[in-house]
Amino acid sequence: MSSPQERPAKIHRDKHLSVRLTQDEKERLEELVKATDCRSPSEFVRNTAMGYPVRSVVTHEAINELRRLGGLVKHLFLEGGRDDPDGQYLATLQELKAAIHRLGRES
């Protein structure tokens, strides 16, 4: 499939498609919808099937948890006498900072 397309401008949709799901599948679909910017299961399925972008919704709790983990890494670095010969602490902090920045732009 090609790269994601732009969502079309708001248009009137008058055709219906019925899909049978198990209760577990329905619950899973509803969980997926809640984690995105889609307003309904129909919108989620349509966007996914048509290759339109579906954005993940990032909670502030997730960003705060990444910040907390960064603080713990920094604490371990300071408690360890600021010794980081192989650069693992610095690399971890840089990755956490980059992830927070990416997630902050998407929310």
Side-chain angles (χ1 to χ4, degrees), residues 63 66-67 95-105:
I63 292 173
L66 287 173
R67 288 183 176 136
E95 285 296 321
L96 285 168
K97 184 178 178 180
I100 291 167
H101 180 71
R102 281 192 310 271
L103 291 173
R105 282 189 316 210

Side-chain angles (χ1 to χ4, degrees), residues 43-96:
E43 182 180 4
F44 177 81
V45 171
R46 180 176 44 255
N47 289 347
T48 303
M50 297 294 123
Y52 303 146
V54 175
R55 285 189 168 177
S56 157
V57 177
V58 178
T59 65
H60 292 289
E61 291 86 12
I63 292 173
N64 287 338
E65 182 64 14
L66 287 173
R67 288 183 176 136
R68 187 186 72 78
L69 291 171
L72 290 173
V73 170
K74 182 178 176 182
H75 174 74
L76 289 172
F77 172 71
L78 295 174
E79 288 293 311
R82 299 176 185 253
D83 186 31
D84 190 17
D86 54 4
Q88 285 185 332
Y89 286 118
L90 178 60
T92 302
L93 287 171
Q94 288 172 336
E95 285 296 321
L96 285 168

Side-chain angles (χ1 to χ4, degrees), residues 26-38:
K26 181 178 183 287
E27 290 170 6
R28 176 71 177 130
L29 178 60
E30 289 168 347
E31 288 173 17
L32 290 170
V33 172
K34 286 180 186 175
T36 70
D37 65 340
C38 295

